[in-house]
Amino acid sequence: MVQLSERMNEESATIKNRQWWKEAVVYQIYPKSFYDSNGDGIGDLTGVIQKLDYLKELGIDVIWLSPVYQSPMDDNGYDISDYQAIAEEFGSMEDMDLLIHEAKKRDIKIIMDLVVNHTSDEHEWFIESKSDVKHPKRDWYIWRNGRKDGTPPNNWKSIFGGSCWEYDEQTGQYYLHAFSKKQPDLNWENPDLRNAVYKMVRWWLDKGISGFRVDAITFIKKRQDFAHSHDGMNVIETNQQGIHEFLSELRKEAFTSPDILTVAEAPGVSYKELPIYAGEDGHFSMLFEFDHVDLDVGKEGKWYETYNWNLLDFKKAISDSQTFYNNTGWGALYLENHDQPRSLNKFIKPEDIGPIPAKMLATVYFFLKGTPFIYQGQEIGMTNVEYPSIEHYNDLASIDQYYSALKEGFSKEEALAAIWRRSRDNSRTPMQWNHSEYAGFSQGTPWLEINSNYSFINVENALKDRNSLFYFYKKLISLRKSSPYSDVIAFGKYEDIFKDSLQIMAYTRELNDKKIAVIANFDNKELTLNLDFNIKNVILSNYDYLELHLNQIKLRPYESIVCEVDLSF
Ligand code: GLC
Ligand code: CA
């Protein structure tokens, strides 16, 4: 006994910095599409409260709530007109307080979306800023004169397409917007603005939330020369020199509780910089990377061109950052979110989409080093949608992209095919709760059309079938949280194996005297693998039964296994 407890002490001593968020699983809710409690066709906070027991059953620890603040909803809430009010269609501040309270009762934490690169053009700050060049808040946004010929100050393009400058008649100047023209960028150079942001953040933390997902944060620093861009696409640049001063200050002044989870959406950060950005000493607890989810996007950022990626590209994207996280920082693990198409359509051949490949994908990312995020509907295998024409789409980015593709000479069919593949509406269709009308999401007509496969892909069916993807996710979560493998899954060293295989993705995780291997077949062909280790036991498989020999495995189509490696010889 003495020996055992000594060894346990030794083990936990080797795990430095055990923060709660390193052992948590997060579930992302896109409130507009989650559950509508009052029949107006729009998901709402009461709807989230009513589904907390479902999330508890799944076993998650944290909810990331996409924006619920007051907003004209040009970009579905990522355009905020009041940070300290709740959008009417989502409910009230009382509902928000109740949600925090009800979640807490079930041991679930809430993190909010923090959108502070920009506000809505209907935010009071912008209305004041716009009113007069001499207004004290003029400098809270980025205003510039046009060039001599009246054209915008420079050739920077916004993320959603077109110039990132919008002319304001009244004061004769342009303002900058990295996203839509209804999302003017805040001027982080101004200390009063920064302090107003920090104060708002502290106000939310005082309410009892447990952190933030920080939107588009690498955009906050602009090149101060505002020079013409010569990089071809001219899209406004991220992660500019000087950003670290803002981010350190944000952490120090706003993220005041020592114990919060902050996850940054941070495009443009190189692997070299990961340690500065993520981990207990970084600007944030963790950050979302994009390489592994944007594999299919044309290299120049031309979203409508298909880039033919292969499994080596996917594996490289994952293993480059995982290798970094072996030494420093922390990963945010995800395959889907509200900006990405569904993972089944992205990674699996269309004719093979179904529960087995879905479980394989889940396995592959859940055992990596970092905190897993599940996007609503992912746990029941929801898929992309193909609306018959652009009029059925809601996402402003998709609509812009469709028309710019037409301008570039694509046919309507080609443009629509690209939208089917990449539209953000793919993941925003209402959550499929059951097979009744409107998928049990609402009593009224939903704001966005339901995916027609709701009659068989839905929560009710998933809960009835012990073999469903839902229960597989539940199993994954419990392995992470309360199993003999919890520590090795959370803290073990990552190493990729079968690196050059175009069919297999595999890696090991090792901590002290435990080592596990994750092996997945990404193809619909069977294959036999010779391992250079012996399997001690199988922890998880996505098939009913397994054909196993000590150091040889036969993997069926999309089969994945997680096993313990025998370290005794
Ligand atoms: C982030 C959000 C996206 C939004 C954009 C502008 O990328 O995830 O949904 O459109 O920022 O706020
Ligand atoms: Ca509603």
Side-chain angles (χ1 to χ4, degrees):
M1 270 329 273
V2 174
Q3 256 183 340
L4 181 69
S5 70
E6 263 172 21
R7 218 188 59 212
M8 279 170 62
N9 280 338
E10 220 173 85
E11 258 185 38
S12 41
T14 62
I15 300 167
K16 286 180 296 184
N17 305 316
R18 263 185 192 271
Q19 272 96 350
W20 66 266
W21 41 262
K22 293 185 175 172
E23 290 166 86
V25 176
V26 185
Y27 186 91
Q28 181 190 352
I29 289 184
Y30 196 67
K32 201 169 176 182
S33 300
F34 191 60
Y35 185 58
D36 172 21
S37 69
N38 64 353
D40 65 356
I42 299 172
D44 44 56
L45 289 174
T46 303
V48 177
I49 296 171
Q50 289 174 2
K51 295 297 182 184
L52 283 173
D53 288 331
Y54 167 72
L55 299 176
K56 189 67 197 165
E57 167 71 16
L58 181 58
I60 55 104
D61 310 278
V62 184
I63 292 171
W64 151 24
L65 202 57
S66 273
V68 291
Y69 312 93
Q70 184 183 300
S71 159
M73 299 284 166
D74 182 52
D75 189 14
N76 283 337
Y78 284 91
D79 48 321
I80 296 167
S81 55
D82 186 343
Y83 289 106
Q84 279 155 276
I86 298 294
E88 220 176 304
E89 50 269 70
F90 290 153
S92 63
M93 197 54 84
E94 286 71 51
D95 297 335
M96 186 65 220
D97 291 334
L98 187 62
L99 171 60
I100 298 171
H101 176 78
E102 286 295 320
K104 193 166 180 201
K105 271 203 328 221
R106 294 165 177 82
D107 240 347
I108 296 176
K109 297 180 161 71
I110 306 271
I111 67 171
M112 303 279 284
D113 220 301
L114 181 64
V115 188
V116 288
N117 172 68
H118 46 267
T119 65
S120 161
D121 63 341
E122 297 178 32
H123 195 292
E124 201 186 283
W125 294 347
F126 187 71
I127 294 169
E128 290 178 28
S129 179
K130 197 177 144 163
S131 66
D132 190 335
V133 288
K134 297 216 177 63
H135 193 283
K137 289 208 176 70
R138 183 68 170 181
D139 190 44
W140 284 32
Y141 292 83
I142 301 166
W143 293 96
R144 290 288 181 282
N145 291 325
R147 278 176 289 175
K148 285 207 180 71
D149 60 359
T151 55
N154 63 31
N155 65 349
W156 296 357
K157 283 200 191 131
S158 84
I159 298 298
F160 294 156
S163 171
C164 72
W165 296 99
E166 180 70 14
Y167 187 66
D168 170 51
E169 292 281 342
Q170 195 189 321
T171 53
Q173 284 192 312
Y174 285 87
Y175 66 86
L176 183 143
H177 57 91
F179 295 88
S180 96
K181 63 176 186 225
K182 284 186 67 63
Q183 294 166 302
D185 279 38
L186 289 165
N187 179 20
W188 276 69
E189 306 296 328
N190 182 301
D192 294 337
L193 172 270
R194 296 203 302 276
N195 285 327
V197 167
Y198 305 151
K199 197 171 150 202
M200 175 275 288
V201 172
R202 293 192 300 260
W203 184 85
W204 273 103
L205 288 173
D206 287 346
K207 265 191 171 299
I209 64 159
S210 303
F212 296 95
R213 177 269 189 180
V214 189
D215 186 71
I217 197 67
T218 44
F219 285 90
I220 60 171
K221 180 79 192 186
K222 273 68 184 181
R223 283 180 66 132
Q224 290 302 297
D225 60 5
F226 288 89
H228 252 54
S229 163
H230 297 288
D231 76 346
M233 292 299 287
N234 308 335
V235 174
I236 185 167
E237 288 166 281
T238 51
N239 197 24
Q240 293 299 295
Q241 220 181 359
I243 194 170
H244 296 303
E245 284 152 46
F246 293 159
L247 296 179
S248 312
E249 191 183 81
L250 172 68
R251 177 170 171 166
K252 182 163 160 279
E253 302 294 330
F255 300 153
T256 43
S257 314
D259 216 22
I260 60 172
L261 186 173
T262 54
V263 50
E265 186 197 33
V269 175
S270 68
Y271 292 122
K272 257 197 350 256
E273 289 172 293
L274 287 181
I276 312 172
Y277 268 91
E280 51 281 345
D281 303 318
H283 298 312
F284 305 98
S285 319
M286 57 191 97
L287 50 85
F288 291 124
E289 293 167 72
F290 293 90
D291 286 358
H292 70 295
V293 288
D294 283 342
L295 287 168
D296 58 335
V297 181
K299 280 296 135 180
E300 298 267 86
K302 292 195 177 165
W303 62 277
Y304 38 79
E305 284 176 4
T306 313
Y307 175 73
N308 286 322
W309 61 279
N310 64 35
L311 189 61
L312 294 184
D313 301 318
F314 181 71
K315 293 202 296 188
K316 183 172 185 321
I318 301 277
S319 94
D320 281 354
S321 64
Q322 285 286 303
T323 307
F324 256 99
Y325 295 138
N326 273 338
N327 302 315
T328 170
W330 193 254
L333 313 172
Y334 77 105
L335 296 178
E336 295 182 13
N337 63 34
H338 66 294
D339 293 330
Q340 288 288 334
R342 293 290 184 176
S343 57
L344 274 166
N345 298 81
K346 192 182 293 174
F347 298 114
I348 305 299
K349 295 182 184 76
E351 62 277 18
D352 295 338
I353 288 175
I356 294 274
K359 289 175 185 172
M360 183 278 287
L361 285 177
T363 305
V364 150
Y365 92 103
F366 236 81
F367 290 90
L368 293 169
K369 188 165 185 184
T371 301
F373 287 68
I374 302 169
Y375 177 69
Q376 66 182 43
Q378 183 181 337
E379 78 280 16
I380 55 165
M382 282 179 64
T383 62
N384 284 355
V385 72
E386 294 185 357
Y387 295 132
S389 72
I390 194 67
E391 287 72 36
H392 295 253
Y393 283 83
N394 169 277
D395 171 31
L396 80 171
S398 303
I399 294 166
D400 272 4
Q401 285 164 341
Y402 176 84
Y403 288 107
S404 61
L406 293 190
K407 268 195 220 139
E408 298 207 20
F410 288 79
S411 70
K412 281 188 174 172
E413 291 69 31
E414 287 165 336
L416 193 62
I419 296 294
W420 285 348
R421 195 169 54 79
R422 278 304 297 187
S423 174
R424 306 195 297 179
D425 282 341
N426 279 314
S427 53
R428 298 176 181 185
T429 61
M431 180 77 178
Q432 295 164 201
W433 292 101
N434 60 41
H435 63 265
S436 70
E437 201 185 10
Y438 306 133
F441 160 73
S442 172
Q443 297 295 316
T445 313
W447 69 278
L448 186 66
E449 282 163 62
I450 309 269
N451 191 319
S452 58
N453 62 20
Y454 75 93
S455 57
F456 55 97
I457 300 177
N458 62 57
V459 168
E460 194 178 272
N461 278 357
L463 292 176
K464 274 196 302 229
D465 172 9
R466 291 317 292 184
N467 219 355
S468 69
L469 182 60
F470 175 90
Y471 289 112
F472 193 82
Y473 269 100
K474 189 177 157 106
K475 182 88 205 271
L476 288 172
I477 296 172
S478 73
L479 279 170
R480 271 200 165 252
K481 300 199 53 74
S482 50
S483 81
Y485 305 101
S486 300
D487 276 351
V488 64
I489 298 171
F491 301 103
K493 176 171 179 273
Y494 163 94
E495 195 176 351
D496 49 6
I497 52 177
F498 298 105
K499 235 188 194 145
D500 302 322
S501 169
L502 274 160
Q503 186 174 345
I504 297 293
M505 171 160 172
Y507 55 87
T508 57
R509 304 287 312 282
E510 185 170 9
L511 183 76
N512 302 322
D513 59 354
K514 266 217 172 69
K515 183 170 183 174
I516 62 170
V518 178
I519 306 172
N521 182 0
F522 263 76
D523 209 336
N524 55 13
K525 291 180 203 63
E526 207 171 272
L527 144 145
T528 301
L529 274 187
N530 292 315
L531 305 171
D532 63 2
F533 54 83
N534 283 350
I535 292 175
K536 187 167 162 192
N537 68 294
V538 174
I539 301 166
L540 183 74
S541 150
N542 65 342
Y543 271 81
D544 291 345
Y545 64 94
L546 263 174
E547 287 178 44
L548 267 187
H549 305 277
L550 272 182
N551 57 3
Q552 194 183 64
I553 46 173
K554 199 201 264 163
L555 288 173
R556 286 157 288 182
Y558 301 106
E559 182 158 8
S560 60
I561 72 158
V562 182
C563 57
E564 185 168 355
V565 173
D566 192 346
L567 291 175
S568 64
F569 56 98

Coordinates of all heavy atoms in Angstrom, one line a residue, residues 234-297:
N234 N -4.8 40.7 -50.7 CA -5.0 42.0 -50.0 C -5.9 42.0 -48.8 O -6.4 43.0 -48.3 CB -5.6 43.1 -51.0 CG -4.8 43.2 -52.2 OD1 -3.6 42.9 -52.2 ND2 -5.4 43.7 -53.3
V235 N -6.2 40.8 -48.3 CA -7.1 40.6 -47.2 C -6.4 41.2 -46.0 O -5.2 41.0 -45.8 CB -7.5 39.2 -47.0 CG1 -8.4 39.1 -45.7 CG2 -8.3 38.7 -48.1
I236 N -7.2 41.9 -45.2 CA -6.6 42.6 -44.0 C -5.8 41.6 -43.1 O -6.2 40.4 -42.9 CB -7.8 43.2 -43.2 CG1 -7.2 44.0 -42.0 CG2 -8.8 42.2 -42.7 CD1 -8.2 44.9 -41.3
E237 N -4.6 42.0 -42.7 CA -3.7 41.0 -42.0 C -4.0 40.9 -40.5 O -4.4 41.8 -39.9 CB -2.3 41.5 -42.3 CG -1.9 41.2 -43.7 CD -0.6 41.9 -44.0 OE1 -0.6 43.1 -44.3 OE2 0.5 41.3 -44.0
T238 N -3.7 39.7 -40.0 CA -3.9 39.4 -38.6 C -2.5 39.4 -37.9 O -1.4 39.4 -38.5 CB -4.5 38.0 -38.4 OG1 -3.8 37.1 -39.1 CG2 -5.9 38.0 -38.9
N239 N -2.6 39.3 -36.6 CA -1.4 39.1 -35.7 C -0.2 40.0 -36.1 O 0.9 39.6 -36.3 CB -0.9 37.6 -35.9 CG 0.0 37.2 -34.8 OD1 0.0 37.7 -33.7 ND2 0.8 36.2 -35.1
Q240 N -0.5 41.3 -36.1 CA 0.5 42.3 -36.5 C 1.4 42.7 -35.3 O 1.0 42.5 -34.1 CB -0.2 43.6 -37.0 CG -0.9 43.4 -38.3 CD 0.0 43.0 -39.4 OE1 0.9 43.7 -39.8 NE2 -0.1 41.7 -39.9
Q241 N 2.5 43.2 -35.6 CA 3.5 43.6 -34.6 C 2.8 44.6 -33.6 O 2.1 45.5 -34.0 CB 4.6 44.3 -35.3 CG 5.9 43.9 -34.7 CD 7.1 44.6 -35.3 OE1 6.9 45.4 -36.3 NE2 8.3 44.3 -34.8
G242 N 3.1 44.3 -32.3 CA 2.5 45.2 -31.3 C 1.3 44.6 -30.7 O 0.8 45.0 -29.6
I243 N 0.8 43.5 -31.2 CA -0.5 42.9 -30.7 C -0.2 42.3 -29.3 O -1.1 42.4 -28.4 CB -1.0 41.8 -31.6 CG1 -2.4 41.4 -31.2 CG2 -0.1 40.5 -31.6 CD1 -3.2 40.5 -32.2
H244 N 1.0 41.9 -29.0 CA 1.2 41.3 -27.7 C 1.0 42.2 -26.5 O 0.6 41.8 -25.4 CB 2.6 40.6 -27.6 CG 2.7 39.5 -28.6 ND1 1.9 38.4 -28.6 CD2 3.6 39.3 -29.6 CE1 2.2 37.6 -29.5 NE2 3.2 38.1 -30.2
E245 N 1.3 43.5 -26.8 CA 1.0 44.5 -25.7 C -0.5 44.5 -25.3 O -0.9 44.6 -24.2 CB 1.5 45.9 -26.1 CG 3.0 46.0 -26.0 CD 3.5 47.0 -27.0 OE1 3.0 48.1 -27.1 OE2 4.5 46.7 -27.6
F246 N -1.3 44.5 -26.4 CA -2.8 44.5 -26.2 C -3.2 43.3 -25.5 O -4.0 43.3 -24.5 CB -3.5 44.7 -27.5 CG -3.4 46.0 -28.2 CD1 -3.6 46.1 -29.5 CD2 -3.0 47.1 -27.5 CE1 -3.5 47.3 -30.2 CE2 -2.8 48.3 -28.2 CZ -3.1 48.4 -29.5
L247 N -2.7 42.2 -25.9 CA -3.2 40.9 -25.4 C -2.7 40.7 -23.9 O -3.4 40.1 -23.1 CB -2.7 39.7 -26.3 CG -3.3 39.8 -27.7 CD1 -2.8 38.6 -28.5 CD2 -4.9 39.8 -27.6
S248 N -1.5 41.1 -23.6 CA -1.0 41.0 -22.2 C -1.9 41.9 -21.3 O -2.3 41.5 -20.2 CB 0.4 41.5 -22.0 OG 1.2 40.9 -23.0
E249 N -2.2 43.0 -21.8 CA -3.0 43.9 -21.0 C -4.4 43.4 -20.8 O -5.0 43.4 -19.7 CB -3.1 45.3 -21.7 CG -3.7 46.4 -20.8 CD -3.8 47.7 -21.6 OE1 -4.7 47.9 -22.4 OE2 -2.9 48.6 -21.4
L250 N -5.0 42.8 -21.9 CA -6.3 42.2 -21.8 C -6.3 41.1 -20.7 O -7.2 41.0 -19.9 CB -6.6 41.5 -23.2 CG -7.9 40.7 -23.3 CD1 -9.2 41.5 -23.1 CD2 -8.0 39.9 -24.6
R251 N -5.3 40.3 -20.7 CA -5.2 39.2 -19.7 C -5.1 39.8 -18.3 O -5.8 39.4 -17.4 CB -4.0 38.3 -20.0 CG -3.9 37.3 -18.9 CD -2.9 36.2 -19.2 NE -2.8 35.4 -18.0 CZ -2.2 34.2 -17.9 NH1 -1.7 33.7 -19.0 NH2 -2.1 33.6 -16.8
K252 N -4.3 40.8 -18.2 CA -4.0 41.4 -16.9 C -5.2 42.2 -16.3 O -5.6 42.0 -15.2 CB -2.8 42.3 -16.9 CG -2.4 42.9 -15.7 CD -0.9 43.5 -15.8 CE -0.7 44.5 -14.7 NZ -1.2 45.8 -15.1
E253 N -5.8 43.0 -17.2 CA -6.9 43.9 -16.7 C -8.3 43.3 -16.8 O -9.2 43.7 -16.1 CB -6.9 45.2 -17.6 CG -5.6 45.9 -17.5 CD -5.3 46.5 -16.2 OE1 -6.2 46.8 -15.4 OE2 -4.1 46.6 -15.8
A254 N -8.5 42.3 -17.7 CA -9.8 41.8 -17.9 C -10.0 40.4 -17.4 O -11.0 40.1 -16.7 CB -10.2 41.9 -19.4
F255 N -9.1 39.6 -17.7 CA -9.2 38.2 -17.3 C -8.7 38.0 -15.8 O -7.8 37.3 -15.6 CB -8.5 37.2 -18.2 CG -8.9 37.3 -19.6 CD1 -8.1 37.0 -20.7 CD2 -10.2 37.7 -19.9 CE1 -8.5 37.1 -22.0 CE2 -10.7 37.8 -21.3 CZ -9.8 37.4 -22.3
T256 N -9.4 38.7 -14.9 CA -8.9 38.8 -13.6 C -9.0 37.6 -12.7 O -8.2 37.4 -11.8 CB -9.5 40.0 -12.9 OG1 -10.9 40.0 -13.2 CG2 -9.0 41.3 -13.4
S257 N -10.0 36.8 -13.0 CA -10.1 35.6 -12.1 C -8.9 34.6 -12.6 O -8.7 34.5 -13.8 CB -11.4 34.8 -12.3 OG -12.4 35.7 -12.3
P258 N -8.2 34.0 -11.7 CA -7.1 33.2 -12.0 C -7.5 31.9 -12.7 O -6.7 31.3 -13.4 CB -6.4 32.9 -10.7 CG -7.5 33.1 -9.7 CD -8.5 34.1 -10.2
D259 N -8.8 31.6 -12.6 CA -9.2 30.3 -12.9 C -10.1 30.1 -14.1 O -10.8 29.2 -14.3 CB -10.0 29.8 -11.7 CG -9.8 28.4 -11.4 OD1 -8.8 27.9 -11.8 OD2 -10.7 27.8 -10.7
I260 N -10.1 31.1 -15.0 CA -11.0 31.1 -16.1 C -10.5 30.4 -17.3 O -9.2 30.3 -17.5 CB -11.6 32.5 -16.5 CG1 -10.4 33.4 -16.9 CG2 -12.3 33.1 -15.3 CD1 -10.9 34.7 -17.5
L261 N -11.4 29.9 -18.2 CA -11.0 29.3 -19.5 C -11.1 30.4 -20.5 O -12.2 31.0 -20.7 CB -11.9 28.1 -19.8 CG -11.7 27.2 -21.0 CD1 -12.6 26.0 -20.9 CD2 -11.8 27.9 -22.3
T262 N -10.1 30.6 -21.3 CA -10.1 31.5 -22.4 C -9.6 30.8 -23.6 O -8.5 30.2 -23.6 CB -9.3 32.8 -22.2 OG1 -8.0 32.5 -21.8 CG2 -9.9 33.7 -21.1
V263 N -10.4 30.8 -24.7 CA -10.0 30.1 -25.9 C -10.2 31.1 -27.0 O -11.2 31.7 -27.2 CB -10.8 28.8 -26.1 CG1 -12.3 29.0 -26.0 CG2 -10.4 28.2 -27.5
A264 N -9.1 31.3 -27.7 CA -9.0 32.4 -28.7 C -9.2 31.9 -30.1 O -8.6 30.8 -30.5 CB -7.7 33.2 -28.6
E265 N -10.0 32.5 -30.9 CA -10.0 32.3 -32.3 C -8.9 33.1 -32.8 O -9.0 34.4 -32.8 CB -11.4 32.7 -32.9 CG -11.5 32.3 -34.3 CD -12.6 33.0 -35.1 OE1 -12.9 34.2 -34.7 OE2 -13.1 32.5 -36.0
A266 N -7.9 32.5 -33.3 CA -6.6 33.2 -33.6 C -6.0 32.9 -34.9 O -4.9 32.3 -34.9 CB -5.7 33.0 -32.4
P267 N -6.6 33.2 -36.0 CA -6.0 32.9 -37.3 C -4.7 33.8 -37.4 O -4.6 34.9 -36.9 CB -7.0 33.4 -38.3 CG -7.9 34.3 -37.6 CD -7.9 33.9 -36.2
G268 N -3.7 33.2 -38.1 CA -2.5 33.9 -38.4 C -1.4 33.7 -37.4 O -0.3 34.4 -37.5
V269 N -1.6 32.9 -36.4 CA -0.6 32.6 -35.4 C 0.3 31.4 -35.9 O -0.3 30.4 -36.2 CB -1.2 32.3 -34.0 CG1 -0.1 31.9 -33.0 CG2 -2.0 33.5 -33.5
S270 N 1.6 31.6 -35.9 CA 2.4 30.5 -36.4 C 2.7 29.5 -35.3 O 2.6 29.9 -34.1 CB 3.7 31.1 -36.9 OG 4.5 31.6 -35.9
Y271 N 3.2 28.3 -35.6 CA 3.5 27.4 -34.6 C 4.5 27.9 -33.6 O 4.4 27.7 -32.4 CB 4.0 26.0 -35.2 CG 2.9 25.3 -35.9 CD1 3.0 25.0 -37.3 CD2 1.7 25.0 -35.3 CE1 2.0 24.3 -38.0 CE2 0.7 24.3 -36.0 CZ 0.9 24.0 -37.3 OH -0.1 23.3 -38.0
K272 N 5.5 28.6 -34.1 CA 6.5 29.2 -33.2 C 5.9 30.0 -32.1 O 6.4 30.1 -31.0 CB 7.4 30.1 -34.1 CG 8.7 29.5 -34.4 CD 9.8 30.6 -34.9 CE 9.3 32.0 -35.1 NZ 9.2 32.3 -36.6
E273 N 4.8 30.7 -32.4 CA 4.2 31.6 -31.4 C 3.2 31.0 -30.5 O 2.7 31.6 -29.6 CB 3.5 32.8 -32.2 CG 4.4 33.7 -32.8 CD 3.6 34.7 -33.7 OE1 3.1 34.3 -34.7 OE2 3.6 35.9 -33.3
L274 N 2.9 29.7 -30.7 CA 1.9 29.0 -29.9 C 2.1 29.2 -28.4 O 1.2 29.5 -27.6 CB 1.8 27.5 -30.2 CG 1.1 27.2 -31.6 CD1 1.0 25.6 -31.7 CD2 -0.3 27.7 -31.6
P275 N 3.4 29.0 -28.0 CA 3.6 29.1 -26.5 C 3.3 30.5 -26.0 O 3.0 30.7 -24.8 CB 5.1 28.8 -26.4 CG 5.5 28.2 -27.7 CD 4.6 28.6 -28.7
I276 N 3.5 31.6 -26.8 CA 3.2 32.9 -26.3 C 1.7 33.1 -26.2 O 1.2 33.7 -25.3 CB 3.7 34.0 -27.3 CG1 5.1 33.7 -27.7 CG2 3.5 35.4 -26.7 CD1 5.6 34.7 -28.8
Y277 N 0.9 32.4 -27.1 CA -0.5 32.6 -27.1 C -1.3 31.7 -26.1 O -2.3 32.1 -25.6 CB -1.0 32.3 -28.5 CG -1.1 33.6 -29.4 CD1 -0.1 34.0 -30.2 CD2 -2.3 34.4 -29.3 CE1 -0.2 35.2 -30.9 CE2 -2.4 35.5 -30.1 CZ -1.3 35.9 -30.9 OH -1.4 37.0 -31.6
A278 N -0.8 30.4 -26.0 CA -1.7 29.4 -25.3 C -1.0 28.7 -24.1 O 0.2 28.5 -24.2 CB -2.1 28.4 -26.3
G279 N -1.8 28.4 -23.1 CA -1.2 27.7 -22.0 C -1.3 28.5 -20.7 O -1.7 29.7 -20.8
E280 N -0.8 28.0 -19.6 CA -1.0 28.7 -18.4 C -0.2 30.0 -18.3 O -0.6 31.0 -17.7 CB -0.7 27.8 -17.2 CG 0.7 27.1 -17.2 CD 0.6 25.9 -18.0 OE1 -0.4 25.4 -18.4 OE2 1.7 25.4 -18.3
D281 N 0.8 30.1 -19.1 CA 1.5 31.4 -19.2 C 1.2 32.2 -20.4 O 1.8 33.3 -20.7 CB 3.1 31.2 -19.1 CG 3.4 30.4 -17.9 OD1 2.9 30.7 -16.8 OD2 4.3 29.4 -18.0
G282 N 0.3 31.7 -21.3 CA 0.0 32.4 -22.5 C -1.0 33.5 -22.3 O -1.6 33.7 -21.3
H283 N -1.3 34.2 -23.4 CA -2.4 35.2 -23.4 C -3.7 34.5 -23.1 O -4.6 35.2 -22.5 CB -2.5 35.9 -24.7 CG -1.3 36.6 -25.2 ND1 -0.6 37.5 -24.3 CD2 -0.6 36.7 -26.4 CE1 0.4 38.0 -25.0 NE2 0.5 37.5 -26.2
F284 N -3.9 33.3 -23.6 CA -5.2 32.6 -23.4 C -4.9 31.2 -22.9 O -3.7 30.7 -23.0 CB -5.9 32.5 -24.8 CG -6.1 33.8 -25.4 CD1 -5.2 34.3 -26.4 CD2 -7.1 34.6 -25.0 CE1 -5.4 35.6 -26.9 CE2 -7.3 35.9 -25.6 CZ -6.5 36.4 -26.5
S285 N -5.9 30.5 -22.4 CA -5.7 29.1 -22.0 C -5.4 28.2 -23.2 O -4.5 27.3 -23.1 CB -7.0 28.5 -21.4 OG -7.6 29.4 -20.5
M286 N -6.0 28.5 -24.3 CA -5.8 27.7 -25.5 C -6.3 28.4 -26.7 O -7.0 29.5 -26.6 CB -6.6 26.4 -25.4 CG -8.0 26.5 -25.1 SD -8.9 25.0 -24.6 CE -8.9 25.1 -22.8
L287 N -6.0 28.0 -27.9 CA -6.5 28.6 -29.1 C -6.9 27.7 -30.2 O -6.4 26.6 -30.3 CB -5.6 29.7 -29.6 CG -4.1 29.5 -29.8 CD1 -3.9 28.9 -31.2 CD2 -3.4 30.8 -29.8
F288 N -7.9 28.1 -31.0 CA -8.3 27.3 -32.1 C -7.4 27.6 -33.3 O -7.1 28.7 -33.7 CB -9.7 27.8 -32.5 CG -10.8 27.4 -31.6 CD1 -11.6 28.4 -31.1 CD2 -11.0 26.1 -31.2 CE1 -12.7 28.1 -30.2 CE2 -12.0 25.8 -30.3 CZ -12.8 26.8 -29.8
E289 N -6.9 26.5 -33.8 CA -6.2 26.5 -35.1 C -7.1 26.2 -36.2 O -8.1 25.6 -36.1 CB -5.0 25.6 -35.0 CG -4.0 26.0 -33.9 CD -3.0 24.9 -33.6 OE1 -2.2 24.6 -34.4 OE2 -3.2 24.3 -32.5
F290 N -6.6 26.4 -37.4 CA -7.4 26.3 -38.6 C -6.9 25.3 -39.7 O -7.7 24.9 -40.5 CB -7.7 27.6 -39.3 CG -8.5 28.5 -38.4 CD1 -7.9 29.4 -37.5 CD2 -9.9 28.5 -38.5 CE1 -8.7 30.2 -36.7 CE2 -10.6 29.3 -37.7 CZ -10.0 30.1 -36.8
D291 N -5.6 25.0 -39.6 CA -5.0 24.2 -40.7 C -5.8 22.9 -41.0 O -6.0 22.5 -42.1 CB -3.6 23.9 -40.4 CG -2.7 25.1 -40.6 OD1 -3.2 26.2 -41.0 OD2 -1.5 25.0 -40.3
H292 N -6.2 22.2 -39.9 CA -6.8 20.9 -40.2 C -8.2 21.0 -40.6 O -8.8 20.0 -41.1 CB -6.7 20.1 -38.9 CG -7.5 20.6 -37.8 ND1 -7.4 21.8 -37.2 CD2 -8.6 20.0 -37.2 CE1 -8.3 21.9 -36.2 NE2 -9.1 20.9 -36.2
V293 N -8.9 22.1 -40.4 CA -10.3 22.2 -40.9 C -10.4 23.0 -42.2 O -11.4 22.8 -42.9 CB -11.2 22.9 -39.8 CG1 -11.5 21.9 -38.7 CG2 -10.7 24.2 -39.4
D294 N -9.4 23.7 -42.6 CA -9.5 24.5 -43.8 C -8.7 23.8 -44.9 O -8.3 24.4 -45.9 CB -9.0 25.9 -43.6 CG -10.0 26.8 -42.9 OD1 -11.2 26.4 -43.0 OD2 -9.7 27.8 -42.4
L295 N -8.4 22.5 -44.8 CA -7.6 21.8 -45.8 C -8.2 21.8 -47.2 O -7.5 21.7 -48.2 CB -7.7 20.3 -45.4 CG -6.9 19.8 -44.2 CD1 -7.3 18.4 -43.9 CD2 -5.4 19.9 -44.6
D296 N -9.5 21.9 -47.2 CA -10.2 21.8 -48.5 C -10.4 23.1 -49.2 O -11.1 23.3 -50.2 CB -11.6 21.0 -48.4 CG -12.5 21.8 -47.4 OD1 -12.0 22.5 -46.5 OD2 -13.7 21.6 -47.5
V297 N -9.9 24.2 -48.5 CA -10.0 25.5 -49.1 C -8.9 25.8 -50.0 O -7.7 25.6 -49.7 CB -10.1 26.6 -47.9 CG1 -10.3 27.9 -48.5 CG2 -11.1 26.2 -46.9

